[in-house]
Amino acid sequence: MLMALTYVCHAEDILQVVPFKTTAGVKYGNNKTIEISLTNESFDVANLQFDILLPEGMALSSNNSSFTERAQVYDEDEEGYIDNFTWTQGVVSSGYTRIVFTPTTGNVIKSGSGTILRIRYKTDASMEPGIYPILMEGIELDKTVMESLTDLKAVSYVVIGDSNPISSESEINLSSLTGDLPSFVVEKLNADIASNTSLRKLNLSGVTSLGADLVVPENAVWYTSKAARLNRTFSSSVKCTVCLPFGIPASTASALGTFYQFSGIEAGKVVMEAVTGDLAANTPYIFSPADGQTGIGANSASGLTVSFGTSPVTENATAKFTFKGTYEPITWTEAPTGIYGFSVAEADGGVSGVDAGEFVLCGAGANIPAYRAYLEYTGEGTLSGTRGAGLPARMPIIWRSGAESHITGIETVGQAAAEAGTAWYGLNGQQYAGKPTAKGIYVHNGKKVIVK
């Protein structure tokens, strides 16, 4: 044990293993090393001690008298790794290995950032590909002025296998990482996922705090034990669909914007009612964002709940329509049966030529991005799925907020209805077999027609 005056400090940016990638079957003779980085701009280190826990199947080099075969200490003045430190290694409780470095007379680990230790390791040939945690506890840094930083902890990871799932997989499970994730590790994680355009979910449920901002691709969700967030760019007041795998309390939701839930069908119109209470996990909504929203998130202080599940459903059995959420992108190569996408200014869902703020019957090539929602007709009967065949091409929406209601009507006939040629439509999008006999305003050949 290092003897000195001590004080307790957080491990952030003090000492941690640099995340790295390796394979199964590494031998000591392969000269593969674990790098340990020290970020320290203010003082020289006279002694260094820590307990390290490697994943099962990985071990540090065996305990022998030759220090240079087992580790190196970097000296900036010498511009290289030197061996003027004594080394001891021993197994402590719970599988941790204790490492103690003590310099010979007149030597110190100088202040500055970078890798200070390289320790050789081996891996069993039977280790399965995956992401494994590396934990460090009991970190003690003895200052040359006879003060010590004690009780520090750090967490990192190693990737086993030929490929790095962090850079390619749509779902990444790092739940084995626990405690505080230092900034150095978060920045390495950001670099690994920077090109992962398929990422949809990053599970950091064992992590309590992040030392730096996590940067994930658009339309991906990440969550820790105390926070969760959907990364997505929103346009102020432009309504869009969302489906969140975590709940949000009403106080947080109201600051983000207005959320609407599916209430049913009235006279061929979709009814969406503003939510005044908490948002439920795994439930689809239409969201009207407030200014400056670049994502949707919550934390434990505001009452966060995270509950990933199957694609959630809000159903109205009488109307026989279902509002469905999805956590994966969906593309229909052929025209789907009874599927409606929500139209926004940017043609959300891949539908063009329609008004913003209504549901439109999807054709071949339509797509729904991840963490969105769509409307599906679930009634009985045979439907061809072609536009205008048995279902309205477009469905306006009644927006209700308290006693206030307003309707998004059909102002122009876009591509969805125009393909029907000489068909007649009501303002609610309902197709008629021929010219209607009841008085009212209809759409025919792309124009509004009054039937008297």
Side-chain angles (χ1 to χ4, degrees), residues 257-276:
T258 304
F259 291 83
Y260 296 86
Q261 61 187 359
F262 178 55
S263 179
I265 305 293
E266 292 183 6
K269 302 177 183 67
V270 179
V271 181
M272 303 297 298
E273 295 189 359
V275 179
T276 57

Side-chain angles (χ1 to χ4, degrees), residues 301-312:
S302 59
L304 168 74
T305 59
V306 176
S307 176
F308 269 90
T310 58
S311 294

